[in-house]
Amino acid sequence: MPHESLVSFVCVSTPVGDTISVDRVYQSCVVTIGGLRTRVDLLLLSMNFDVILGMDWSSPRHAILDYHAKTVILVVPGLPRIEWRGSLDYVPSRVISFLKAQQMVEMGCLSYLAFVRDVSAETPTIDSVPAVRDFSDMFLADLLGMLSDKDIDFDIDLVPGI
């Protein structure tokens, strides 16, 4: 989807107190909620949200937000009332976002990095990798062990004045 650069950066505050600089906008994108098609300019955020519709979008549509019931009600004059209901079966977990974890580490909280692997999962076969399967003549069927460590001399000759 084509985007345009903003004339100046927009700084967006995150829930954990960080600031994200935004420099791209996707103009006049169609957003459909409960059958209501509307257009909105979307700023590209480097966060894990699908879309954030703010006050500038919500206010003219007379949006009513009920955080406890997880509903958004749009009361657009001249149109039937539109209600969008979020999932009520969300159970809070003990997982925190990367941004929150990063902030806590910066504040000096003790942290651990874990690499978790499912050892019961099947190892993928060569045929399960499309590029390898389609070009099997380019790959060795079996590697004869680990490649040996070799010293490689790599030089770049620079010519002054060019």
Side-chain angles (χ1 to χ4, degrees):
M1 176 179 267
H3 64 273
E4 295 182 20
S5 294
L6 294 171
V7 176
S8 60
F9 285 93
V10 174
C11 293
V12 179
S13 296
T14 68
V16 294
D18 290 335
T19 302
I20 297 174
S21 294
V22 180
D23 66 345
R24 290 183 273 177
V25 62
Y26 294 88
Q27 292 189 328
S28 196
C29 297
V30 175
V31 174
T32 305
I33 298 179
L36 174 67
R37 289 176 49 95
T38 183
R39 293 201 175 269
V40 64
D41 294 342
L42 299 176
L43 301 176
L44 180 63
L45 301 175
S46 57
M47 298 176 71
N48 292 329
F49 296 109
D50 292 333
V51 173
I52 299 173
L53 299 173
M55 292 290 186
D56 291 342
W57 183 89
S58 303
S59 180
R61 289 155 187 86
H62 303 266
I64 301 168
L65 307 174
D66 184 338
Y67 293 99
H68 180 72
K70 295 186 180 182
T71 60
V72 176
I73 301 169
L74 303 178
V75 190
V76 180
L79 294 176
R81 178 180 164 132
I82 297 170
E83 183 173 332
W84 179 85
R85 183 174 301 275
S87 174
L88 294 175
D89 61 354
Y90 171 75
V91 177
S93 68
R94 295 181 50 89
V95 176
I96 61 173
S97 71
F98 166 77
L99 292 174
K100 182 66 174 174
Q102 183 180 27
Q103 182 185 40
M104 292 173 71
V105 169
E106 288 172 357
M107 292 183 341
C109 293
L110 185 61
S111 60
Y112 298 93
L113 177 64
F115 176 77
V116 180
R117 185 171 64 100
D118 184 359
V119 294
S120 66
E122 230 177 87
T123 303
T125 63
I126 289 177
D127 290 335
S128 69
V129 181
V132 176
R133 181 184 62 237
D134 295 345
F135 301 98
S136 59
D137 56 326
M138 303 298 282
F139 297 92
L140 296 174
D142 293 313
L143 292 176
L144 305 173
M146 293 299 293
L147 299 174
S148 61
D149 289 334
K150 296 180 182 179
D151 288 333
I152 297 174
D153 289 329
F154 181 77
D155 294 326
I156 297 176
D157 295 325
L158 301 176
V159 178
I162 292 183

